[in-house]
Amino acid sequence: MSQTNTIERSIYQTGLRILLGAFLVFAGVGHLTWHRTEFLAQVPTWLPINADLVVILSGLVEITLGLSLLFLKSKQVQVGWIVALFFVLIFPGNISQYVNGISAFGLDTDRARLIRLFFQPLLVLWAVWSCGSWQDFRAKRKS
């Protein structure tokens, strides 16, 4: 890979990391304000915690993770793994929304809810790639 490609790749990774961070901050604020009802629809009914508390706490976590993506440059590898783990942990909410046929965020058909399930793994990949977490893992395995 030429040095130009390495620099471009780094710019793309940085840009996508910043975009993901902004997305998480925006979504987190939505948890606490205008999209609260929509996020309530995604809390699994089997969860033994008050659904509104789950929405509030997950919103605060999203804001924290988003700000970490934006400002904790020296810890990006670790932040990438933590953000990826967060996306894995909230996946049951998406599954619950699909299984129970709950409409939220314009997902008002089983087909739309099913398609959305396939985007969660992409968010995991986005986090580990844009933070260099995956590259760091591979480099450590080689050494």
Side-chain angles (χ1 to χ4, degrees):
M1 183 182 305
S2 73
Q3 187 172 1
T4 304
N5 287 342
T6 304
I7 292 168
E8 287 175 11
R9 185 167 150 213
S10 177
I11 291 169
Y12 292 136
Q13 284 177 298
T14 301
L16 288 173
R17 177 182 51 80
I18 290 168
L19 183 62
L20 183 58
F23 166 75
L24 283 172
V25 170
F26 181 77
V29 171
H31 275 73
L32 306 177
T33 56
W34 69 89
H35 275 311
R36 192 129 165 209
T37 304
E38 302 285 326
F39 283 111
L40 278 169
Q42 295 182 317
V43 178
T45 55
W46 52 262
L47 203 61
I49 303 171
N50 178 281
D52 197 44
L53 179 61
V54 171
V55 171
I56 291 168
L57 292 176
S58 61
L60 293 173
V61 169
E62 284 189 4
I63 292 168
T64 302
L65 292 175
L67 292 173
S68 297
L69 285 168
L70 294 171
F71 299 112
L72 287 180
K73 193 171 182 178
S74 66
K75 301 287 185 188
Q76 286 309 299
V77 169
Q78 296 90 338
V79 170
W81 288 119
I82 294 167
V83 171
L85 176 62
F86 175 76
F87 287 140
V88 170
L89 292 174
I90 63 171
F91 191 58
N94 297 345
I95 294 170
S96 175
Q97 184 180 8
Y98 170 70
V99 169
N100 296 307
I102 300 170
S103 295
F105 295 108
L107 303 173
D108 54 4
T109 66
D110 284 342
R111 181 180 182 196
R113 289 185 283 268
L114 178 64
I115 290 170
R116 179 171 186 243
L117 294 178
F118 293 98
F119 284 95
Q120 202 74 11
L122 295 177
L123 289 172
V124 171
L125 293 173
W126 184 355
V128 296
W129 181 80
S130 68
C131 290
S133 307
W134 184 250
Q135 295 89 329
D136 181 73
F137 173 75
R138 289 185 65 202
K140 286 180 180 176
R141 284 197 60 195
K142 286 182 180 179
S143 54

